[in-house]
Amino acid sequence: MKGYIETLKEDLAQKNYEQAESFLKIISKSVDRLTELVSDMLTIANLEGPTLMHKENTNINVLSQEVIERLAPLASEKNIFIHYKSDVDHWLVDAQKVEQVLVNLLSNAIKYIPVNGQVDIFWKQLHGELELHVVDNGPGIAPEHQSRLFERFYRVDKGRARDVGGTGLGLSIVKHIVQAHGGQVGVHSKPGEGSDFYCIFPA
């Protein structure tokens, strides 16, 4: 950013405006990335300490629909269909943190699956626990990567990371939030067969 700013300053001093717009776009995009990174790092730092939970009887369907509506424009850009289903109405969780879990999982799915793909979100109660599944029909994930997906900054395809954006902390945040609820996270995936990211919240 500093290099672009210095060059831009020199160009403006010489009344050369030819590259100004493109430089400003690059700088703006870089600022957005840094802002997102700082925000995610602060979230991780807060979650790694004693986590203050504000659990309340939360309407799972309202929470989910709000997230889907918020990310609908991102899905629309790639013509991705989002299907939602739930057999659970309410659960005792920290609504704000669970909302962040769903935002991170859904935005990841939208970013990594191809155009005209599909994401299925469903909640179900099983053995007294609440399960969230975010299932996509994307390229799938090789077994050697699956155990490390929830680590900080881990990328399956480092070459593609810059194209899709993100900080590499989204899944780590998901793991910390679910564990703070006393639950667990995981993924079922096979190359070429899509992925099922799941979170289990205890009663």
Side-chain angles (χ1 to χ4, degrees):
M1 281 192 295
K2 186 171 178 60
Y4 279 109
I5 290 169
E6 291 300 325
T7 305
L8 184 58
K9 284 165 64 178
E10 292 174 7
D11 284 352
L12 294 178
Q14 298 170 16
K15 296 186 178 180
N16 177 10
Y17 308 111
E18 188 176 339
Q19 301 181 93
E21 185 176 354
S22 63
F23 281 8
L24 287 172
K25 285 180 180 178
I26 293 169
I27 293 167
S28 178
K29 190 174 182 181
S30 297
V31 169
D32 288 343
R33 286 192 179 207
L34 278 177
T35 302
E36 187 180 7
L37 178 60
V38 170
S39 175
D40 281 355
M41 289 293 287
L42 288 171
T43 299
I44 285 283
N46 288 332
L47 290 169
E48 286 183 336
T51 306
L52 186 62
M53 304 292 287
H54 299 283
K55 289 186 178 181
E56 56 187 340
N57 193 26
T58 301
N59 189 316
I60 295 299
N61 294 309
V62 170
L63 181 151
S64 300
Q65 291 295 344
E66 287 176 351
V67 171
I68 292 169
E69 288 176 15
R70 190 192 316 172
L71 295 178
L74 186 63
S76 180
E77 289 176 6
K78 296 175 67 177
N79 197 32
I80 288 172
F81 175 71
I82 300 172
H83 179 257
Y84 177 76
K85 182 180 178 181
S86 175
D87 60 11
V88 179
D89 292 323
H90 291 79
W91 205 263
L92 191 66
V93 292
D94 186 315
Q96 187 176 6
K97 289 183 172 65
V98 170
E99 180 183 4
Q100 188 168 11
V101 165
L102 187 52
V103 166
N104 288 4
L105 291 178
L106 180 54
S107 60
N108 261 15
I110 293 170
K111 288 174 185 175
Y112 284 99
I113 66 176
V115 173
N116 300 321
Q118 177 169 323
V119 182
D120 291 282
I121 301 169
F122 62 92
W123 297 86
K124 65 180 180 180
Q125 186 175 349
L126 189 65
H127 307 305
E129 296 177 319
L130 175 66
E131 292 189 9
L132 164 65
H133 292 261
V134 178
V135 184
D136 66 65
N137 65 345
I141 302 163
E144 62 266 25
H145 295 295
Q146 294 179 23
S147 64
R148 301 191 61 191
L149 283 176
F150 295 91
E151 294 178 8
R152 293 192 203 181
F153 300 115
Y154 188 78
R155 303 277 196 174
V156 173
D157 185 350
K158 293 180 175 62
R160 202 178 159 217
R162 183 167 290 275
D163 294 334
V164 299
T167 63
L169 292 169
L171 290 179
S172 182
I173 290 172
V174 167
K175 180 186 74 173
H176 278 82
I177 290 175
V178 176
Q179 288 180 343
H181 279 81
Q184 57 184 306
V185 298
V187 60
H188 297 302
S189 184
K190 289 183 180 180
E193 297 184 16
S195 303
D196 173 5
F197 285 87
Y198 63 87
C199 305
I200 300 174
F201 298 90

